[in-house]
Amino acid sequence: MDVTAQETSTRTLSYSEAIREAMALAMEADPTVILMGEDIGVYGGAFQVTLDLVDRFGPDRVMDTPISELGGAGVAVGAALTGLKPIFEFQFSDFATLAMEQIVNQAAKLRYMLGGEASVPVVFRMPAGSGTGAAAQHSQSLEAWFGHVPGLKVIQPSTPEDAKGMLLAALADPDPVLVFEHKLLYKMKGEVPAGYYTTPIGKAAVRRAGSDLTIVAASIMVHRALEAAEQLAGEGVSAEVIDLRSIRPIDHETIIASVRKTGRLLIVYEGVKSYGIGAEISAMVAESDAFDFLDAPILRLGGAEAPIPYNPDLERAAVPQVDTILAAARRLACREV
């Protein structure tokens, strides 16, 4: 666990409860922290993450915004420029496409364009990913889009502990941070330290040590990769699983060290395979001295080159699952690539 404050106890919390606890802790400690978004007040948000916070902190700090993502994100950016620390929740990360001007042209660039004289400490929360039957306009994984933009930080916590610690780290950051929260993780439970702590942005986590191949995964794919690694172990294949956690910046050192050890690399992510985080990591490894240690070509396992379908079977087939991760890992371990 990466923390900046020593904790004496942990509790079992769901991913959504851990996020809510982080927001409550920040709001109790700092009156400049405010929440904004559609239906985040009395309703508690589309996924009930902000449930009861309006009762605790009032509508002046937990503010429902109109159905205008561009307008709401713009108000959040403006509030950040005036000294507040807004957390803006998009109902679905897909809807951030309506606010690209404020995120990409304003929040990401204002520090640079103002000569470092101003910062934009805004956090955008992004419920993302497939698996809920929400179809093509509510199920995308767009983290690679925003990872392309200098000035933004992009993170993908995969556990309740990281969901809390990384959100608190995002709030402590002087620049805009996008937190992509996979919708299938909201009910997942895990041990979460009590009190305040931060999990560093830009530092990956080795979730399982191994020697035969490296699997780099993000978000929900970490758990599928771990399940696949457990099955591989029964077949005599030792897979190291790295939880990327941060899309921008990426922890090059941890990935390179693992590839130097195992000689094989599989990258698993839910976003569309082409132009995604797998391409960036592949290029990074190919441009490093880890390339000399590779015993097989790098494999990328990403989403299908298609919108996310509504049909449950097609939706499942459109993104990597445990069985497809297993098949790719077996091919890589046997050099059948």
Side-chain angles (χ1 to χ4, degrees):
M1 177 176 65
D2 300 310
V3 298
T4 59
Q6 202 170 37
E7 301 304 326
T8 57
S9 64
T10 63
R11 295 86 15 87
T12 300
L13 297 179
S14 69
Y15 190 96
S16 60
E17 288 170 338
I19 294 170
R20 183 159 61 249
E21 183 169 274
M23 291 189 289
L25 280 171
M27 295 179 79
E28 288 169 353
D30 185 350
T32 68
V33 177
I34 60 173
L35 309 185
M36 303 173 63
E38 297 167 13
D39 293 327
I40 67 164
V42 175
Y43 185 68
F47 296 94
Q48 303 292 282
V49 178
T50 54
L51 196 67
D52 86 5
L53 291 181
V54 69
D55 297 325
R56 296 173 62 180
F57 299 100
D60 290 337
R61 295 184 67 194
V62 183
M63 294 177 279
D64 284 321
T65 59
I67 303 176
S68 172
E69 285 77 13
L70 176 62
V75 172
V77 172
L81 284 168
T82 66
L84 296 176
K85 296 179 180 178
I87 303 173
F88 185 86
E89 176 184 321
F90 289 96
Q91 284 193 334
F92 294 84
S93 63
D94 314 64
F95 299 170
T97 58
L98 295 161
M100 291 292 278
E101 158 66 18
Q102 293 301 324
I103 299 171
V104 172
N105 278 340
Q106 302 301 328
K109 295 177 173 62
L110 282 172
R111 177 190 282 275
Y112 172 78
M113 295 179 71
L114 295 174
E117 294 299 316
S119 62
V120 187
V122 61
V123 174
F124 294 107
R125 291 187 44 244
M126 307 277 211
S130 65
T132 61
Q137 296 176 334
H138 299 72
S139 305
Q140 297 170 87
S141 298
L142 302 177
E143 59 278 350
W145 280 22
F146 296 99
H148 185 70
V149 181
L152 299 178
K153 293 184 177 72
V154 181
I155 60 178
Q156 286 188 292
S158 70
T159 67
E161 179 184 323
D162 281 355
K164 177 181 175 181
M166 296 193 81
L167 180 54
L168 288 171
L171 282 166
D173 197 287
D175 294 310
V177 181
L178 281 63
V179 187
F180 281 83
E181 304 160 1
H182 200 287
K183 299 190 288 288
L184 292 183
L185 292 176
Y186 280 135
K187 294 182 180 180
M188 189 189 82
K189 294 187 176 182
E191 290 300 300
V192 178
Y196 180 91
Y197 66 92
T198 59
T199 303
I201 293 173
K203 179 64 177 175
V206 178
R207 299 296 185 190
R208 181 187 180 107
S211 57
D212 294 329
L213 75 150
T214 298
I215 304 176
V216 175
S219 190
I220 188 74
M221 294 301 158
V222 173
H223 302 281
R224 294 176 187 172
L226 286 169
E227 186 175 340
E230 184 67 26
Q231 294 189 47
L232 289 168
E235 301 171 12
V237 176
S238 174
E240 182 151 292
V241 178
I242 295 177
D243 181 351
L244 200 55
R245 298 203 291 194
S246 179
I247 303 303
R248 185 180 185 99
I250 286 178
D251 183 353
H252 294 181
E253 290 76 14
T254 297
I255 297 170
I256 288 172
S258 181
V259 173
R260 286 170 60 94
K261 177 174 67 172
T262 68
R264 293 175 174 83
L265 174 61
L266 170 63
I267 310 158
V268 184
Y269 50 105
E270 184 165 339
V272 174
K273 178 181 176 180
S274 59
Y275 309 100
I277 59 174
E280 173 61 26
I281 294 171
S282 297
M284 178 268 292
V285 170
E287 292 170 354
S288 75
D289 66 354
F291 179 80
D292 295 329
F293 291 80
L294 288 172
D295 295 321
I298 299 168
L299 285 185
R300 292 177 293 153
L301 187 60
E305 304 289 327
I308 297 294
Y310 172 70
N311 176 277
D313 292 333
L314 293 177
E315 180 183 32
R316 186 181 184 279
V319 300
Q321 304 292 334
V322 174
D323 57 347
T324 52
I325 296 171
L326 268 171
R330 286 168 179 149
R331 287 171 55 209
L332 191 59
C334 296
R335 304 185 191 180
E336 296 175 4
V337 292

